[in-house]
Amino acid sequence: MQQLKQQVFDANMALPHYGLVTFTWGNVSAVDRERGLVVIKPSGVPYETMQAEDMVVVDLQGNIVEGRYRPSSDTPTHLELYRRYPHLGGIVHTHSTHATAWAQAGLSIPALGTTHADYFFGDIPCTRALTAAEVAGEYELNTGKVIVETLGDTNPLHTPGIVVYQHGPFSWGKDAVDAVHNAVVMEEVAKMAWIACGINPRLRHIDGYLMDKHFSRKHGPNAYYGQK
Amino acid sequence: MQQLKQQVFDANMALPHYGLVTFTWGNVSAVDRERGLVVIKPSGVPYETMQAEDMVVVDLQGNIVEGRYRPSSDTPTHLELYRRYPHLGGIVHTHSTHATAWAQAGLSIPALGTTHADYFFGDIPCTRALTAAEVAGEYELNTGKVIVETLGDTNPLHTPGIVVYQHGPFSWGKDAVDAVHNAVVMEEVAKMAWIACGINPRLRHIDGYLMDKHFSRKHGPNAYYGQK
Amino acid sequence: MQQLKQQVFDANMALPHYGLVTFTWGNVSAVDRERGLVVIKPSGVPYETMQAEDMVVVDLQGNIVEGRYRPSSDTPTHLELYRRYPHLGGIVHTHSTHATAWAQAGLSIPALGTTHADYFFGDIPCTRALTAAEVAGEYELNTGKVIVETLGDTNPLHTPGIVVYQHGPFSWGKDAVDAVHNAVVMEEVAKMAWIACGINPRLRHIDGYLMDKHFSRKHGPNAYYGQK
Amino acid sequence: MQQLKQQVFDANMALPHYGLVTFTWGNVSAVDRERGLVVIKPSGVPYETMQAEDMVVVDLQGNIVEGRYRPSSDTPTHLELYRRYPHLGGIVHTHSTHATAWAQAGLSIPALGTTHADYFFGDIPCTRALTAAEVAGEYELNTGKVIVETLGDTNPLHTPGIVVYQHGPFSWGKDAVDAVHNAVVMEEVAKMAWIACGINPRLRHIDGYLMDKHFSRKHGPNAYYGQK
């Protein structure tokens, strides 16, 4: 697990590097599918002093397997997503400024251009509000459940992020690095969409055939972007 | 007092680090409740050359006890708050961009999401305008009084900041570090609220039960965020 | 070609320096008119590890002449512009935030002030949408064609940039350095225009005689800005 | 003049430090009133390579007295202001983002809060448009004249900046350092005013008695801000 701890640590440290977090407002996890174990950031430990060995190891039911700290309070949200979607390798939660603003606005981040379509197939959805009972109960688990409810049977790697109503963004990917990458993209397209809608409130969604082209150029079976 | 001077100096130096001040537009103080003494930044001294020994010590009535400089011109505002609220340990004043814009807009910063609710229980209030007589009189003292009038019997650690009408933000905490922390949060939620209201002018305040959950998760008797 | 490779490499590295690109979302090329060869960034190689020798050399028909990587997927767009406009020496494509927002808004960036007129004579046009057939066909080539269709017989050095509908900005110049310079200007005037239109939605275009003056002060036969 | 050259050089280098200029879009000058000589930045020389000895010395009529470069093309604007207002010691021109946006919007920057009133007594005015004849004639001189026309007999140190219609900001002060200081303030209050007007389009100007208090607290005969 040492290697995965290092990866998760590095991915957590990338969040302040990319300007996605203030203080400790973020966390990254990754899963080892063979062993069924998840490595996640400890709760409320400052980035300035955090080390790779501080990462916490839990099983998919949330039992602590290794680590001297308590895991992130958002751990049950991460675990619900790993249990439901077997292709997820890493998950990120932040309160990045512009993506969080869309969450507060209660709106999906609309697909307006190719920057968005290079990574996200369609809008980045906003969940419904949790009910009072869901918040009073197992809140973090229920946050995971409302994400699952919103995504449904969508391939989560084709919609590698979501905004939770009045809360903020979660993103994911095939591993921790990819999940952070998608968190950066999400914040950037959230900013672009805010500005674009301000410039022209009557703008249109990206043409469907242009979205298909850009997404499949990078992600489809016939992808031709980058090096083989 | 040497230790408290160092703390207050460090807290003042954190303001430019976090991008909260331009030039000398900010000040931090802290109180030693046992001795009844307040340490505060000197007035108009540049951050580039300021040192810990330049901090000024005053008593709660504003008499200079130690220091070769004049204390911040905002000292009477700080003292009024320390006298009224015995649990305050540190106070910060800045002209940080987005919080000041809300002060200029004359509006409270609305509680729109969990980022806000993790620190502030309810809106961050905007004071009423000072009257001409209040401004012509003991202006800085009266600024403290209008903050007290606005907060009333609220626990100030549950509303650790305010915007003064047409002026800017004050924040506070259990010590100087905590007060600076809250100043950073306030600026960030002020920015998010501006953007969110731009995206969706008809957005709703955060659901009350979600606000309760997030605030108590971090601050209530049953807090479970961070390490014990 | 070693010298041109170095120039193109340096120009590509200038994009993150100026804050114009996230990850690998940008590319710069330059042409050697005597030999009829174009040097361009490889596709999807991270800026952190890219070196001058990684640049790819292609002829004006797109045949790879030198290089171990595949050229940028946008190469056919660059080539179409070089073929049509013999005075172009360098081309840049980015997804810079504000220029891309105008592309997503589907609007030309209006000429509102002298900052704009110092570099761009008139609005920075937005192309029409590509048709489904154009996207399904030779997409990157057709992107070049719609830029040519929009510019027509305009001197491209007098309109050294464009936004492609729902995509993002392309800019160009007499060489790679000049093209990057114009990409920086375009992003800055895109930001200013967004803010200015927000402040005053009924603002007017720059007076024609003021635009003429500023453009010719820097670019006309009687230019007197800078050193001779 | 060596000392003044160094001051003007340092003040010019402060512009990129404070984020006020892109490339060479800015210039600072200062005047030696005893000798009647003005030191100003050369035209179009990059900040990266510029040195103190590159500063140009001209007399108040614009004759070059010393220096191997041509002076800034905006020199006649600076000279007109020095001739008209004997208390000006330094002048700055930039195309800083938010102040330029107000110039493009064609509106004065309204006095909305104490941040503004600490430096500017009343709105930061926007000039009228220059006429076609004024632009076709001695354009830079006429830019100075329209600034003088707008300021009239106002004490320019009480209104230490202006925005020229569809162009950008000029600011000034008792020396070059003070002029740069005011340029930074102007950009910051321009940004705050944009945001505040976006938050509340029906906001009010700062109360007159509050503006008087803040301006005189720093600048009046009974100023008590800072150290004596």
Side-chain angles (χ1 to χ4, degrees), chain D residues 126-206:
Chain D
C126 182
T127 70
R128 65 165 172 81
L130 289 176
T131 65
E134 287 168 330
V135 168
E138 296 186 78
Y139 169 57
E140 291 84 2
L141 176 63
N142 291 331
T143 298
K145 286 187 173 174
V146 80
I147 295 174
V148 167
E149 176 189 318
T150 309
L151 285 176
D153 292 329
T154 302
N155 178 343
L157 295 178
H158 290 189
T159 303
I162 208 168
V163 289
V164 175
Y165 181 72
Q166 295 185 338
H167 187 160
F170 283 81
S171 64
W172 42 78
K174 61 185 199 302
D175 56 28
V177 170
D178 195 36
V180 170
H181 194 101
N182 290 328
V184 173
V185 174
M186 199 166 159
E187 175 61 12
E188 180 65 17
V189 299
K191 184 175 184 182
M192 284 176 174
W194 164 55
I195 297 171
C197 292
I199 290 170
N200 183 1
R202 289 187 304 274
L203 87 189
R204 294 168 36 181
H205 270 64
I206 185 170

Side-chain angles (χ1 to χ4, degrees), chain C residues 143-159:
Chain C
T143 298
K145 287 188 173 174
V146 80
I147 295 174
V148 167
E149 176 189 320
T150 309
L151 285 175
D153 292 330
T154 302
N155 179 343
L157 296 177
H158 290 189
T159 304

Side-chain angles (χ1 to χ4, degrees), chain C residues 129-141:
Chain C
L130 289 177
T131 64
E134 287 168 330
V135 168
E138 296 187 79
Y139 170 58
E140 290 84 3
L141 176 63

Side-chain angles (χ1 to χ4, degrees), chain C residues 92-108:
Chain C
V92 172
H93 173 49
T94 76
H95 287 212
S96 67
T97 309
H98 298 87
T100 301
W102 281 93
Q104 293 183 351
L107 297 174
S108 301

Side-chain angles (χ1 to χ4, degrees), chain C residues 22-180:
Chain C
T22 301
F23 302 122
T24 60
W25 304 350
N27 46 68
V28 185
S29 70
V31 64
D32 179 329
R33 289 287 176 186
E34 286 192 19
R35 303 196 199 183
L37 297 177
V38 170
V39 178
I40 192 163
K41 180 173 160 291
S43 181
V45 171
Y47 285 80
E48 289 80 3
T49 57
M50 198 167 61
Q51 303 192 326
E53 65 203 65
D54 298 338
M55 300 300 105
V56 184
V57 183
V58 297
D59 66 22
L60 282 164
Q61 281 64 50
N63 303 299
I64 299 184
V65 172
E66 201 184 310
R68 56 199 164 100
Y69 287 116
R70 296 163 64 176
S72 166
S73 55
D74 295 314
T75 302
T77 314
H78 291 236
L79 297 181
E80 178 66 11
L81 296 173
Y82 285 128
R83 286 190 298 256
R84 175 63 176 81
Y85 300 109
H87 297 301
L88 292 193
I91 297 175
V92 172
H93 173 49
T94 76
H95 287 212
S96 67
T97 309
H98 298 87
T100 301
W102 281 93
Q104 293 183 351
L107 297 174
S108 301
I109 304 173
L112 300 179
T114 62
T115 316
H116 184 113
D118 281 338
Y119 293 89
F120 291 85
F121 192 81
D123 293 354
I124 299 172
C126 181
T127 70
R128 65 166 171 81
L130 289 177
T131 64
E134 287 168 330
V135 168
E138 296 187 79
Y139 170 58
E140 290 84 3
L141 176 63
N142 291 331
T143 298
K145 287 188 173 174
V146 80
I147 295 174
V148 167
E149 176 189 320
T150 309
L151 285 175
D153 292 330
T154 302
N155 179 343
L157 296 177
H158 290 189
T159 304
I162 209 169
V163 290
V164 175
Y165 182 71
Q166 295 186 337
H167 186 160
F170 283 81
S171 64
W172 42 79
K174 60 185 200 300
D175 55 28
V177 170
D178 195 36
V180 170

Side-chain angles (χ1 to χ4, degrees), chain A residues 18 112-116 118-119 180-182 184-185 188-189 191-196 198-200 203-207 209-210 213-214 217-218 223-228, chain C residues 22-25 42-45 48 68-71 73-74 95-98 100-102 104-107 129-132 135-137 139-140 165-168 190 194:
Chain A
Y18 285 119
L112 300 178
T114 62
T115 316
H116 184 113
D118 281 338
Y119 294 89
V180 170
H181 194 101
N182 290 328
V184 173
V185 174
E188 180 64 16
V189 299
K191 184 175 183 183
M192 284 177 175
W194 163 54
I195 298 171
I199 290 171
N200 183 2
L203 88 188
R204 292 168 36 182
H205 269 63
I206 185 170
D207 291 324
Y209 52 87
L210 183 59
K213 175 72 180 179
H214 267 263
R217 188 168 85 145
K218 276 202 159 177
Y224 60 93
Y225 180 91
Q227 307 298 325
K228 292 280 180 187
Chain C
T22 301
F23 302 122
T24 60
W25 304 350
S43 181
V45 171
E48 289 80 3
R68 56 199 164 100
Y69 287 116
R70 296 163 64 176
S73 55
D74 295 314
H95 287 212
S96 67
T97 309
H98 298 87
T100 301
W102 281 93
Q104 293 183 351
L107 297 174
L130 289 177
T131 64
V135 168
Y139 170 58
E140 290 84 3
Y165 182 71
Q166 295 186 337
H167 186 160
W194 164 54

Side-chain angles (χ1 to χ4, degrees), chain D residues 52-100:
Chain D
E53 65 204 64
D54 297 338
M55 300 299 106
V56 183
V57 183
V58 296
D59 66 23
L60 283 164
Q61 280 66 49
N63 303 299
I64 298 184
V65 171
E66 202 183 310
R68 57 198 163 100
Y69 286 115
R70 297 163 63 176
S72 166
S73 56
D74 295 313
T75 301
T77 314
H78 291 235
L79 297 181
E80 179 65 13
L81 296 173
Y82 286 128
R83 286 190 299 257
R84 175 63 176 80
Y85 300 109
H87 297 302
L88 292 194
I91 297 175
V92 171
H93 173 48
T94 76
H95 287 211
S96 67
T97 309
H98 298 87
T100 301

